[in-house]
Amino acid sequence: MLTQFAGNLSCTVEAGQIFVIGARPIDDAERVNINFLSGKSEDSDIILHFSIRFHDDVIVRNSKIGGSWGPEERDENINELTAPNPTTPGEIFRLYILVGDDKFHVAINGHPYCTYAFRAALSDIRTIAVAKDVMQIVQVDHRQAFPSPFPAIQLEETFNSFSNDVPKVFLPGHIILITAIPFGNPRGGFIIRFLENGSKRQALHLNPRFDPHYVVVRNSHTETLEFRRDEERSGGFPFVLDQQFKLAIAMTENEFKFAVNGSYFESYAYRNSNLLDILNGFKVQCTNGMQLEVTNVDHLNMGVPDCEGFETYSSPEVEML
């Protein structure tokens, strides 16, 4: 089954940041495209086009500015110890892109691959898209590497089915929009976890549990990494197996708020003070044979600390361009 991903970033791209993108191509993949774009519309500029072409055993780099493609780079600036295409159909690859002062520094699966000089302003980059022959997208992380790492600890947990870190602290009024489809074992579930500065301590544990429970559990960790006894289960169950949902997670000064498919769902009060200062994104873990296909993660700041009216953004009819 093919999938794709498109998501708007949480903040402006700057030198010293790093992107980590993980995906699994289908077994007979011909091409996977990773694009850094100025938006989601068809006429958006492509600031970085990273095209893995398996049949040609090459990775093409290019940019499309003002509707016109520039010169392709295929052999230029490739690390002399790296194969022209070190990825393999059917196997997860991880693409690391470090933003330098005047170029992108690219590594694949932990090994240096190439550089690519900027052809447009970094501030033009707003969206990341992954498309073509992709079976699974497991990671779209945007982190800060310099002058100080954020998150400070960057755990590579193999049991995560999706990861979405951000490079700067959240502010009240920030909304994360997650579009996804749950499928697989109907007696399973999935967990959306917000960790405190990359540690294992969960500031939010959002766990929809399907058959036979049909409940959404909200909880968090104590200082000793134990779940609190006062878990919350109210609000009903707005998720349906094999049907796409759009979940809005709003961050106010005092609580998380949730909405699904245009309707307010529930909230969860912060258990620690100044919590937003130590959050750096979310991880998804699936349980008991369920899978979650994440196709969009959009970040936006309403500019309203209490996020009043945020439910509107979770409506499937509202597009983030």
Side-chain angles (χ1 to χ4, degrees), residues 233-276:
R233 293 178 168 228
S234 59
F237 194 76
F239 303 98
V240 179
L241 192 68
D242 297 323
Q243 290 190 19
Q244 180 175 280
F245 66 81
K246 190 174 180 183
L247 167 67
I249 302 177
M251 302 177 193
T252 72
E253 294 177 324
N254 303 304
E255 63 183 356
F256 297 100
K257 293 181 177 180
F258 312 103
V260 180
N261 295 338
S263 298
Y264 180 83
F265 172 61
E266 264 296 350
S267 64
Y268 185 77
Y270 302 152
R271 298 305 196 257
N272 297 320
S273 59
N274 302 317
L275 184 65
L276 296 185

Side-chain angles (χ1 to χ4, degrees), residues 15-216:
Q17 294 176 356
I18 188 169
F19 293 88
V20 186
I21 300 169
R24 185 195 304 273
I26 61 176
D27 290 340
D28 57 349
E30 295 184 11
R31 183 178 300 193
V32 174
N33 288 341
I34 297 99
N35 289 329
F36 285 24
L37 304 133
S38 62
K40 290 186 180 180
S41 64
E42 292 184 359
D43 58 352
S44 295
D45 286 343
I46 305 177
I47 287 79
L48 172 61
H49 173 71
F50 198 83
S51 181
I52 304 173
R53 302 180 183 180
F54 295 99
H55 286 192
D56 296 331
D57 194 31
V58 68
I59 298 178
V60 174
R61 291 88 63 201
N62 206 342
S63 300
K64 185 180 181 182
I65 310 298
S68 299
W69 287 102
E72 289 185 348
E73 294 184 13
R74 293 174 175 243
D75 302 316
E76 299 83 352
N77 306 314
I78 291 183
N79 185 283
E80 60 182 10
L81 301 178
T82 303
N85 178 14
T87 66
T88 303
E91 296 183 5
I92 290 177
F93 67 83
R94 280 184 167 81
L95 178 67
Y96 302 80
I97 302 177
L98 173 66
V99 183
D101 292 328
D102 58 0
K103 66 185 69 173
F104 299 105
H105 300 261
V106 182
I108 300 175
N109 295 333
H111 300 286
Y113 180 73
C114 73
T115 62
Y116 184 81
F118 301 155
R119 299 187 188 179
L122 292 177
S123 58
D124 291 343
I125 301 173
R126 184 165 178 262
T127 302
I128 290 181
V130 183
K132 294 296 185 183
D133 301 328
V134 183
M135 178 172 59
Q136 182 184 14
I137 297 165
V138 299
Q139 187 172 12
V140 182
D141 284 335
H142 181 192
R143 299 167 173 167
Q144 179 175 291
F146 178 84
S148 59
F150 187 86
I153 302 172
Q154 299 172 4
L155 298 174
E156 294 294 342
E157 300 172 317
T158 57
F159 58 80
N160 287 328
S161 63
F162 185 79
S163 174
N164 188 249
D165 285 342
V166 298
K168 295 184 178 180
V169 298
F170 294 112
L171 297 174
H174 192 102
I175 301 173
I176 301 177
L177 300 168
I178 303 171
T179 303
I181 303 172
F183 64 97
N185 186 1
R187 299 183 71 85
F190 63 88
I191 304 167
I192 297 176
R193 300 178 297 130
F194 281 76
L195 306 177
E196 296 186 7
N197 201 18
S199 70
K200 293 184 178 181
R201 185 174 173 182
Q202 299 182 43
L204 173 64
H205 177 94
L206 183 71
N207 179 202
R209 301 176 185 176
F210 288 71
D211 185 27
H213 308 286
Y214 295 107
V215 65
V216 180

